[in-house]
């Protein structure tokens, strides 16, 4: 029998795994039912917002890119703005995060972003700038819009799509089940959030360094 | 529409110009005046004349500019499938889109499924029987699709085709377009068996080839038709067991609950087909997810069923299996094989069925004891997890203990000391006692075989243990299962065919030699661990650890020199006490050595010589920021001493003259983020790049724009090309 071969295999096996194993350690990620990762980002005025400062309030994170047709569906129809208004009126903090890298679609310098917010009649609490994509990657935001709902205790209650009609057609908003509204209403009424995840749909987030 | 009907070559030239000038395509301007930007749609038919009641095919033909794509029925991580709203005359029935298989469209951490260049989406149309020959009919539809490159634009077009009605259908000149599209349709292929199974967090698709046609499916890919079932961006490792190919699929983190079926298309790698005739590249799949895969080897099955680790786990399991097999050749196990099998034979009075049952029960016994061991291990590990297990290799203490373990194993294999001789004889006695107890006896024999084998198992278990500690729970369990399966395989195999017993080689001195030989890989591993330890702690630490190894060697010698049987009671107590002290001392030396902090400058002795070509600045976010503020390109090397890939990349690529001079030429600031020891700043920086481990290579251009991540395995070309692409202004 070929002992040398087997020996080297066994040895390689031990060596390989000792080497490879640490590469599989998972990063801190936003998982439903767990504490949402904290972050600090500047808004269009340069003012810093961190998740921790909103302890005690419901927080909605919305990944935003005004150039994306899926986002256009929800802003063009006024659906998103209405949702923002309804819930910020109830004390919910609504943070729209732009993870587009400089030079890519959806990125605007703060001043222009302010103009964009006005142009789209945005009712979000703030638009946060994440051009390095750090927060987007931590949260695993894949598309715009990608929605997250966080409890006053900082627990991630919902992540996923805004509703169950993954299209760019404004006509589909009527009759769609809005998962963000659903999650907020259930949580505010002391119920379990169900569903607490749904397939997100939209355009890919235009991160820096798309490898 | 007219101005866009450029010839393809003109279009191409225009795009090349655009690309060369680096002009971003202005989305808003295009979308406002062009309903179908970067693409155009037309309707084609396979007949120019249709016959009453006879189905025919029309297809939506989408032509897309280079670099742009549209989407499959499951668009993957982003996008929207193409659709057509039909307006057809009364009595006509139009079927659903028959989707050709798509290709992957990777973008950053996401993967979409779609089509580039051109796609032909066929529909079957059935005209009414009452159609009058000689008339004409027009089929109209509004096509809607999403056209995307980096950005996405909704597109739509009104498409139509007019066909004449005849007694018999007449083919159209476009029939060949549709025929070509047909070849991309997924099909069922006779002879292939497809099964699916699920285990925590992942699915496995098992494809068994028919006799006579066994294509290589390395690189095959499963496109799920369902949207919320799989993680689209996860790799799909393919492994092979005999004529069965296993594709491991990662469950989507957005799946509300596991799916009870898998639907989609498996596309064979380039040049391979599912049928012997070489026509079908895409196999249609629609199977229930079942926990049992009948007729498929369990060991190789489990080998593929855990995702997350990509390719490494299946390999690891294969090695564990080989390790288990190898155990049977060790002196403590081999001699008992024949005794056991003969025992089966005796009690069964030559009745082969009973022998088989007993053989199987014996195998189960081995497995169960392996699982008990794994359970103990996992419990120990769970206790450690609170202090952040998973970073063990960053813990010098862990490395020191591993070095001691491997050194000890080596000494044991060389025969310096014996572990558990008493255990072995005890096990042997029990074995003879239980062999007459029938089925329970067979099971217990399996348990005992593991116990009896423990002295020899220990070395292999040691390696498995070290490995398992670094793996997920499932991974650890699988390693032990694989080891057990490997160990039980010959017994079970022999019980199936007892006549083979005669063919076995006789036990003898060769076994002892083999065992001793295995000591050397263990020593080699220990050397490597000491080297890692040295990187973490420095000279003083290494000296202490080596002293620990010396103590361990002495302890082994004492055990060997004054073996228990030759000593009086008090002397036994004294020597054994001494041995215990020495072992404790060895461990203490390792642990204390691990406490030696590496001097801050020890990482790069060459950092003192400013003229050195390998001028790496230690990482901190501020350093990177400062270099970038100066307008210099920055290259960050995330590395660790225990990461072999990193070492290889550094030696063969990063520190070569060619690459170093290219760095110098472009005035690239070199930053080294050494993750050998825990460093929250580096961990955080890694996370910001979406990574959780090393190696990671990040290149920031000098103009302040976002960084580029290079692949984990580098070549000189990759680095030089990346440098080439840097804006040359700096």
């Amino acid at each position: 029998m070929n002992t040398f071969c087997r020996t080297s295999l066994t040895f390689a096996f031990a060596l390989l795994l000792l080497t490879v194993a640490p590469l599989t350690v998972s990063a801190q990620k936003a998982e439903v039912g767990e504490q949402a990762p904290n972050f600090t980002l500047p808004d269009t005025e340069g003012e810093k917002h961190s998740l921790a400062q909103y302890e005690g309030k419901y927080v909605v994170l919305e990944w935003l890119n005004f150039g994306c047709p899926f986002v256009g569906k929800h802003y063009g129809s006024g659906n998103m703005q209405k949702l923002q208004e309804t819930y910020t009126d109830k004390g919910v903090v609504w943070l729209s995060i732009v993870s587009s890298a400089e030079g890519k679609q959806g990125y605007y310098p703060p001043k222009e972003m302010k103009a964009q917010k006005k142009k789209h009649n945005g009712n979000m609490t703030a638009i946060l700038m994440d051009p390095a994509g750090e927060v987007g990657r931590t949260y695993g935001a894949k598309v715009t819009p990608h929605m997250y709902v966080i409890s006053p205790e900082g627990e991630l209650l919902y992540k996923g799509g805004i509703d169950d009609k993954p299209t760019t057609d404004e006509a589909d908003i009527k009759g769609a089940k809005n998962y963000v509204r659903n999650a907020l209403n259930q949580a505010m009424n002391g119920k379990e959030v169900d569903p607490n995840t749904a397939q997100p749909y939209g355009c890919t987030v235009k991160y820096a360094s798309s490898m | 529409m007219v101005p866009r009907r450029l010839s393809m070559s003109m279009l191409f030239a225009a795009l090349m110009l655009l690309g060369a000038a680096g002009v971003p395509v202005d989305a808003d301007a295009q979308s406002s005046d062009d309903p179908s930007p970067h693409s155009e749609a037309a309707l084609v038919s396979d007949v120019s004349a249709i016959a009453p009641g006879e189905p025919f095919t029309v297809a939506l033909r989408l032509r897309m500019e280079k670099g742009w794509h549209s989407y499959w029925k499951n668009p993957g991580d982003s996008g929207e499938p193409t659709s057509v709203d039909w307006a057809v005359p009364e009595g006509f029935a139009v079927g659903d889109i028959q989707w050709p298989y798509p290709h992957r469209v990777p973008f950053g951490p996401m993967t979409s499924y779609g089509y580039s260049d051109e796609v032909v989406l066929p529909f079957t149309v059935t005209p009414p029987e009452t159609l009058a020959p000689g008339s004409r009919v027009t089929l109209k539809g509004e096509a809607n699709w999403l056209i995307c490159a980096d950005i996405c634009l909704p597109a739509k077009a009104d498409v139509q085709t007019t066909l004449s009605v005849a007694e018999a259908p007449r083919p159209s000149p476009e029939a060949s377009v549709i025929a070509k599209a047909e070849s991309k349709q997924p099909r069922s292929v006779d002879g292939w068996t497809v099964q699916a199974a699920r285990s925590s967090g992942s699915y496995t698709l098992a494809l068994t080839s028919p006799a006579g046609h066994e294509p290589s499916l390395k690189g095959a890919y499963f496109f799920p038709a369902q949207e919320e079932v799989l993680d689209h961006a996860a790799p799909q490792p393919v492994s092979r067991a005999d004529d069965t190919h296993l594709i491991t699929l990662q469950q989507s983190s957005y799946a509300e609950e596991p799916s009870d079926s898998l639907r989609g298309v498996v596309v064979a790698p380039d040049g391979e087909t599912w049928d012997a005739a070489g026509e079908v590249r895409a196999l249609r799949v629609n199977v229930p997810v079942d926990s049992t895969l009948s007729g498929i080897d369990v060991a190789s099955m489990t080998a593929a069923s855990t995702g997350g680790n990509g390719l490494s786990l299946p390999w690891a399991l294969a090695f564990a299996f080989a390790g288990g097999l190898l155990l049977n050749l060790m002196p403590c196990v081999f001699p008992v094989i024949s005794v056991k099998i003969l025992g089966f034979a005796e009690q069964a009075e030559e009745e082969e069925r009973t022998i088989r049952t007993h053989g199987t029960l014996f195998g189960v016994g081995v497995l169960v004891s392996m699982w008990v061991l794994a359970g103990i291990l996992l419990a120990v590990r769970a206790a450690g997890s609170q202090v952040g297990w998973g970073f063990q290799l960053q813990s010098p203490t862990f490395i020191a203990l591993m070095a001691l373990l491997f050194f000890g194993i080596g000494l044991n294999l060389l025969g310096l000391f014996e572990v558990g001789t008493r255990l072995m004889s005890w096990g042997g006695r029990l074995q003879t006692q239980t062999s007459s107890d029938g089925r329970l006896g067979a099971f217990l024999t399996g348990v005992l075989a593991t116990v009896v084998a423990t002295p020899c198992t220990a070395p292999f278990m040691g390696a498995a243990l070290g490995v398992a500690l670094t793996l997920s729970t499932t991974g650890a369990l699988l390693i032990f299962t694989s080891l057990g399966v490997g160990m039980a395989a010959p017994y079970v195999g022999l019980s199936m065919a007892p006549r083979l017993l005669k063919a076995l080689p006789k036990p003898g001195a060769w076994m002892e030699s083999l065992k001793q030989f295995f000591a050397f890989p263990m020593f080699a591993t220990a050397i490597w661990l000491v080297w890692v330890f040295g990187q973490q702690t420095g000279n003083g630490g290494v000296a202490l650890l080596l002293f620990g190894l010396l103590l361990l060697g002495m302890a082994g010698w004492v055990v060997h020199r004054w073996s228990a049987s030759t000593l009086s009671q008090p002397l036994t107590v004294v020597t054994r006490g001494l041995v215990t002290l020495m072992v404790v001392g060895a461990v203490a030396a390792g642990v204390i050595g691990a406490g030696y902090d590496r001097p801050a400058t020890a990482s790069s002795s060459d950092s003192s010589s400013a003229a050195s070509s390998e001028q790496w600045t230690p990482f901190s976010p501020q350093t990177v920021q400062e270099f970038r503020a100066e307008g210099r390109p920055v290259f960050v090397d995330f590395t660790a001493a225990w990461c072999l890939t990193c070492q290889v990349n550094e030696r063969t690529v990063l520190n070569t003259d060619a690459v170093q001079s290219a760095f110098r030429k472009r005035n690239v600031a070199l930053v080294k983020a050494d993750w050998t020891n825990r460093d929250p700043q580096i961990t955080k920086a890694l996370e910001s790049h979406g990574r959780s481990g090393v190696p990671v290579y990040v290149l920031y251009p000098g103009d302040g724009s976002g960084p580029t991540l290079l692949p984990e395995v580098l070549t000189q070309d990759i680095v030089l090309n990346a440098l080439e692409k840097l804006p040359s202004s700096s």
Side-chain angles (χ1 to χ4, degrees):
Chain A
M1 65 164 298
N2 191 344
T3 46
F4 176 72
C5 182
R6 290 204 175 174
T7 310
S8 26
L9 283 187
T10 317
F11 177 51
F13 152 57
L15 214 63
L16 178 95
L17 273 146
L18 286 168
T19 318
V20 170
L23 303 184
T24 62
V25 176
S26 70
Q28 189 198 18
K29 275 275 155 69
E31 298 289 353
V32 169
E34 285 172 25
Q35 208 64 17
N38 191 28
F39 60 84
T40 306
L41 285 175
D43 64 14
T44 49
E45 310 283 344
E47 202 176 308
K48 297 249 158 106
H49 295 255
S50 70
L51 185 59
Q53 85 188 63
Y54 293 119
E55 206 186 300
K57 292 186 167 188
Y58 285 96
V59 178
V60 173
L61 305 182
E62 171 209 347
W63 258 265
L64 175 66
N65 166 2
F66 280 125
C68 163
F70 290 93
V71 174
K73 166 189 175 186
H74 293 284
Y75 277 93
S77 61
N79 180 48
M80 192 71 91
Q81 298 92 320
K82 213 170 81 195
L83 210 58
Q84 291 164 346
E85 189 180 7
T86 310
Y87 288 99
T88 46
D89 282 355
K90 292 186 183 176
V92 173
V93 175
W94 189 297
L95 302 173
S96 304
I97 301 178
V98 179
S99 291
S100 300
E102 275 178 55
K104 298 207 175 174
Q105 191 196 43
Y107 175 85
Y108 294 98
K111 215 179 237 174
E112 283 172 49
M113 187 62 89
K114 228 165 94 180
Q116 284 288 328
K117 181 183 172 185
K118 204 162 182 189
K119 181 180 156 195
H120 289 91
N121 298 316
N123 291 322
M124 60 285 273
T125 310
I127 297 183
L128 307 185
M129 314 285 288
D130 179 36
E134 195 174 325
V135 177
R137 288 183 201 271
T138 305
Y139 272 81
K142 290 183 170 179
V143 293
T144 50
H146 202 151
M147 309 299 299
Y148 297 77
V149 177
I150 297 163
S151 79
E153 292 78 34
E155 184 194 333
L156 185 60
L157 298 176
Y158 173 80
K159 67 166 179 176
I162 181 164
D163 61 25
D164 61 351
K165 292 271 166 66
T167 66
T168 49
D169 192 350
E170 287 183 17
D172 284 334
I173 291 173
K174 216 174 166 182
K177 177 173 179 166
N178 192 296
Y179 291 129
V180 177
R181 179 182 295 135
N182 178 65
L184 285 167
N185 288 351
Q186 284 174 336
M188 288 173 173
N189 290 320
K191 288 188 199 142
E192 280 281 296
V193 173
D194 177 44
N196 56 19
T197 55
Q199 180 78 15
Y201 72 88
C203 312
T204 46
V205 175
K206 314 305 178 201
Y207 284 117
S209 72
S210 50
M211 276 280 305
Chain B
M1 289 286 251
V2 180
R4 253 184 334 98
R5 289 205 177 272
L6 300 165
S7 76
M8 280 316 268
S9 57
M10 280 175 69
L11 200 73
F12 207 90
L15 273 164
M16 294 294 279
L17 275 173
L18 269 181
V23 176
V25 182
D26 187 344
D28 289 335
Q30 299 244 4
S31 58
S32 56
D33 57 9
D34 184 355
S36 59
H38 308 288
S39 51
E40 56 183 288
L43 215 50
V44 294
S45 167
D46 66 345
V47 291
S48 58
I50 61 174
E54 271 194 48
F56 60 98
T57 304
V58 293
L60 179 73
R61 182 183 198 174
L62 269 188
R63 286 173 159 156
M64 294 159 272
E65 281 174 19
K66 204 164 172 57
W68 294 79
H69 60 266
S70 62
Y71 293 97
W72 189 48
K73 61 179 168 183
N74 170 15
D77 284 337
S78 73
E80 185 180 8
T82 303
S83 65
V84 179
D85 283 338
W86 289 102
V88 292
E90 180 94 19
F92 276 74
V94 184
D96 293 329
I97 298 183
Q98 295 154 27
W99 298 94
Y101 68 82
H103 64 81
R104 272 173 285 175
V105 185
F107 186 88
M110 292 144 283
T111 296
S112 300
Y113 299 143
Y115 308 102
S116 316
D117 301 328
E118 178 179 296
V119 63
V120 176
L121 305 170
F123 296 80
T124 300
V125 183
T126 314
E129 295 278 1
T130 54
L131 227 47
S135 62
R136 290 173 79 79
V137 292
T138 300
L139 306 174
K140 282 187 196 170
E142 186 193 273
N144 283 281
W145 68 98
L146 200 60
I147 184 83
C148 299
D150 266 14
I151 60 166
C152 281
L153 302 166
K156 71 175 179 180
D158 290 317
V159 289
Q160 62 171 315
T161 180
T162 301
L163 305 165
S164 56
V165 181
E167 295 289 349
R170 261 200 315 276
S172 88
E174 288 152 339
S176 62
V177 174
I178 290 177
K180 203 176 137 212
E182 291 287 306
S183 68
K184 294 196 166 177
Q185 288 292 329
R187 312 221 175 271
S188 305
V189 178
D190 281 347
W192 281 88
T193 317
V194 184
Q195 298 178 73
R198 201 188 147 270
S199 65
S200 61
S202 68
Y203 295 89
T204 301
L205 205 56
L207 303 150
T208 309
S209 62
H213 182 65
E214 291 172 17
S216 160
L217 294 184
K218 203 171 164 53
Y221 190 88
F222 175 65
F223 292 92
Q226 302 134 294
E227 292 194 21
E228 287 186 34
V229 175
L230 299 183
D231 183 338
H232 303 117
Q236 297 187 357
V238 180
S239 54
R240 183 172 179 170
D242 298 328
D243 54 355
T244 298
H245 297 266
L246 302 163
I247 305 183
T248 305
L249 308 164
Q250 198 67 35
Q251 188 176 321
S252 163
S253 61
Y254 286 96
E256 274 283 293
E257 51 193 33
S259 176
D260 52 13
S261 72
L262 284 183
R263 282 185 291 116
V265 183
V266 191
V267 176
D270 254 336
E272 295 286 357
T273 53
W274 298 94
D275 57 334
E279 281 165 5
V280 182
R281 244 196 97 191
L283 184 73
R284 184 199 307 272
V285 167
N286 186 357
V287 287
V289 175
D290 203 341
S291 52
T292 52
L293 298 183
S294 52
I296 292 167
D297 179 31
V298 177
S300 48
M301 175 65 235
T302 47
S305 66
T306 41
N309 262 338
L311 289 164
S312 62
L313 191 59
W315 273 109
L317 291 171
F319 290 134
F321 180 80
L325 271 180
L326 215 54
L327 261 179
N328 290 303
L329 299 174
M330 293 287 109
C332 24
V333 186
F334 190 83
V336 265
I337 287 191
S338 41
V339 178
K340 279 192 184 82
I341 302 292
L342 287 175
F344 292 158
E346 261 169 43
Q347 65 189 255
E349 289 166 356
E350 308 290 321
E351 202 178 316
E352 293 206 350
R353 226 182 67 193
T354 322
I355 300 177
R356 284 196 189 119
T357 318
H358 285 195
T360 312
L361 282 169
F362 169 82
V364 172
V366 171
L367 271 182
V368 167
S369 9
M370 281 291 177
W371 288 333
V372 169
L373 285 168
I376 294 169
L377 170 77
L378 290 173
V380 170
R381 194 178 73 164
S385 70
Q386 275 107 36
V387 290
W389 212 286
F391 288 89
Q392 304 91 328
L393 289 181
Q394 287 180 331
S395 152
T397 312
F398 181 79
I399 298 285
L401 294 178
M402 290 292 289
L404 286 164
L405 179 69
F406 275 92
F407 182 66
I409 288 170
L411 294 179
N412 169 250
L413 288 172
L414 269 188
L416 182 59
F417 63 95
E418 301 281 333
V419 178
T421 21
R422 237 176 310 170
L423 199 67
M424 219 172 127
S425 56
W426 172 76
R429 271 205 307 280
L430 250 114
Q431 140 76 14
T432 29
Q433 278 161 19
T434 51
S435 60
S436 54
D437 289 349
R439 288 165 176 235
L440 180 66
F443 174 80
L444 284 179
T445 316
V447 177
L448 280 169
T450 319
V451 176
V452 169
T454 316
C456 280
T457 315
F460 291 91
M461 207 79 98
L465 193 106
V467 165
L469 276 174
T470 62
L471 285 177
S472 66
T473 306
T474 331
L477 267 174
L478 286 173
I479 292 265
F480 274 84
T481 306
S482 198
L483 199 63
V485 168
M487 188 179 149
Y491 296 86
V492 177
L494 284 171
S495 73
M496 298 297 145
R499 279 177 216 98
L500 285 181
L501 265 180
K502 294 193 186 75
L504 287 180
K506 295 274 169 293
W510 64 269
M511 263 186 218
E512 195 54 41
S513 312
L514 181 66
K515 184 180 125 178
Q516 287 172 9
F517 178 72
F518 278 124
F520 299 106
M522 298 300 159
F523 289 139
T525 309
I527 289 172
W528 174 63
L529 288 165
V530 170
W531 178 76
V532 171
F533 187 79
Q535 299 286 313
Q536 293 172 323
T537 62
N539 249 347
V542 169
L544 263 171
L545 176 59
L546 291 176
F547 180 69
L549 296 182
L550 176 70
L551 276 178
L552 200 63
M554 284 169 67
W557 176 70
V558 170
V559 170
H560 181 71
R561 174 66 186 74
W562 291 279
S563 68
S565 50
T566 62
L567 295 178
S568 61
Q569 192 78 24
L571 259 179
T572 312
V573 173
V574 169
T575 52
R576 291 308 173 262
L578 209 60
V579 166
T580 312
L581 271 180
M582 281 193 276
V583 172
V584 170
V587 171
V591 171
I592 295 168
Y596 270 57
D597 269 334
R598 179 172 56 159
T601 52
S603 64
S604 48
S605 50
D606 55 349
S607 68
S608 49
S609 59
S612 164
S613 63
E614 296 162 22
Q615 187 59 57
W616 294 89
T617 314
F619 174 85
S620 81
Q622 294 79 19
T623 315
V624 174
Q625 212 46 56
E626 282 163 20
F627 281 130
R628 293 188 68 193
E630 288 171 23
R632 285 179 72 181
V634 184
F635 182 86
V636 189
D637 171 18
F638 290 91
T639 180
W642 36 260
C643 159
L644 277 194
T645 317
C646 306
Q647 305 304 322
V648 171
N649 282 336
E650 278 164 27
R651 273 170 188 58
T652 62
V653 179
L654 296 179
N655 289 341
T656 56
D657 289 344
V659 171
Q660 281 293 328
S661 72
F663 276 141
R664 265 198 307 276
K665 205 175 106 196
R666 300 192 166 262
N667 192 26
V668 179
L670 301 178
V671 175
K672 183 169 281 185
D674 190 335
W675 207 41
T676 305
N677 294 308
R678 257 175 240 221
D679 183 333
Q681 271 196 338
I682 295 176
T683 309
K684 203 163 152 261
L686 282 170
E687 280 170 10
S688 78
H689 294 294
R691 300 297 179 85
S692 51
V694 288
V696 172
Y697 302 101
V698 182
L699 181 61
Y700 294 92
D703 61 359
S705 58
T708 309
L709 263 66
L710 302 187
E712 283 164 18
V713 177
L714 292 178
T715 65
Q716 292 200 10
D717 280 347
I718 291 175
V719 180
L720 295 176
N721 284 337
L723 291 173
E724 208 55 44
K725 286 192 196 125
L726 286 176
S728 50
S729 58
S730 58

